[in-house]
Amino acid sequence: MRLLVIEDDKDLNRQLVSALEQAGYAVDRAFDGEEGCFLGDTEPYDAVVLDIGLPKKDGITVLEEWRRNGRIMPVLILTARDRWSDKVQGFDAGADDYVAKPFHMEEVLARLRALLRRATGHATNELTCGSVRLDTKSGRVVVGGAPVKLTSHEYRLLAYLMHHMGRVVSRGELVEHLYDQDFDRDSNTIEVFVGRLRKKLGVDVIQTVRGLGYLLDPAAGEAEAR
Ligand code: CA
């Protein structure tokens, strides 16, 4: 999952980005509304953290522009504690949720997990496909009851496929959703990661759909687990 953080307070921006990276997301950052608006308009983010009070272009205007342009990614806005009008304006402009400053990082993380699972049609943090279980809160992966240790890239790949299980995901889509914009992208590496992941999971849950991409099929997984 790839996220965008737009926050002009440098310290807060850094704290948010590092907490989100720690939690297993690829993260891009912007420090003003103009740059952030452009990124959100041109890159396929899975969710955005958007401050309301921003230089060059305020958060409400950014959000209105995205929604007008048909950008539907979930947006969590950051509001000032005593500005109830920010929340009302934010929701009406197309925000999905908000956190008031100052906030606990855990709350931002939990709200983003909720937005991401809702956007992908899941009701809990625990995603299951056959004998593979992934907990988006703890970041733990279990296969047939036994914990599996994944690198951060392997985890990101599996988490994206699990959020989108039942649908074919192309290599191009994976590249766009697993790496931040500064990352040296090479879609060949996706195949390498899929290979490593298959080996570590020890079960054949990731199917290759020739010419199209990869598929995690929950139905096939169930048959296998029985
Ligand atoms: Ca601000």
Side-chain angles (χ1 to χ4, degrees), residues 140-143 146-150 200-201:
R140 274 198 279 270
V141 175
V142 170
V143 180
V148 176
K149 251 188 131 62
L150 300 180
K200 282 197 182 177
L201 297 178

Side-chain angles (χ1 to χ4, degrees), residues 19 33 188 197 201:
N188 289 327
L197 201 48
L201 297 178

Side-chain angles (χ1 to χ4, degrees), residues 6-9 12 51-55 78 101:
I6 310 177
E7 165 62 64
D8 58 313
D9 182 315
L12 190 53
D51 185 30
I52 292 300
L54 287 171
L78 304 177
K101 292 179 182 179

Side-chain angles (χ1 to χ4, degrees), residues 119-211:
T120 51
H122 299 279
T124 66
N125 287 328
E126 216 175 77
L127 307 176
T128 306
C129 186
S131 56
V132 179
R133 214 167 62 227
L134 181 144
D135 185 334
T136 60
K137 178 166 186 254
S138 63
R140 274 198 279 270
V141 175
V142 170
V143 180
V148 176
K149 251 188 131 62
L150 300 180
T151 65
S152 61
H153 273 89
E154 291 162 356
Y155 175 82
R156 241 184 244 173
L157 171 60
L158 183 64
Y160 192 82
L161 289 172
M162 298 245 348
H163 273 95
H164 296 279
M165 65 180 108
R167 164 167 93 68
V168 179
V169 178
S170 72
R171 269 181 209 96
E173 179 178 343
L174 286 171
V175 170
E176 288 199 308
H177 289 267
L178 300 187
Y179 304 127
D180 59 64
Q181 59 171 356
D182 298 330
F183 196 86
D184 180 21
R185 294 169 190 198
D186 176 359
S187 65
N188 289 327
T189 61
I190 293 288
E191 284 159 55
V192 175
F193 283 125
V194 168
R196 282 187 204 156
L197 201 48
R198 278 180 172 145
K199 212 171 275 174
K200 282 197 182 177
L201 297 178
V203 287
D204 202 12
V205 284
I206 306 174
Q207 301 173 22
T208 301
V209 183
R210 203 174 285 270

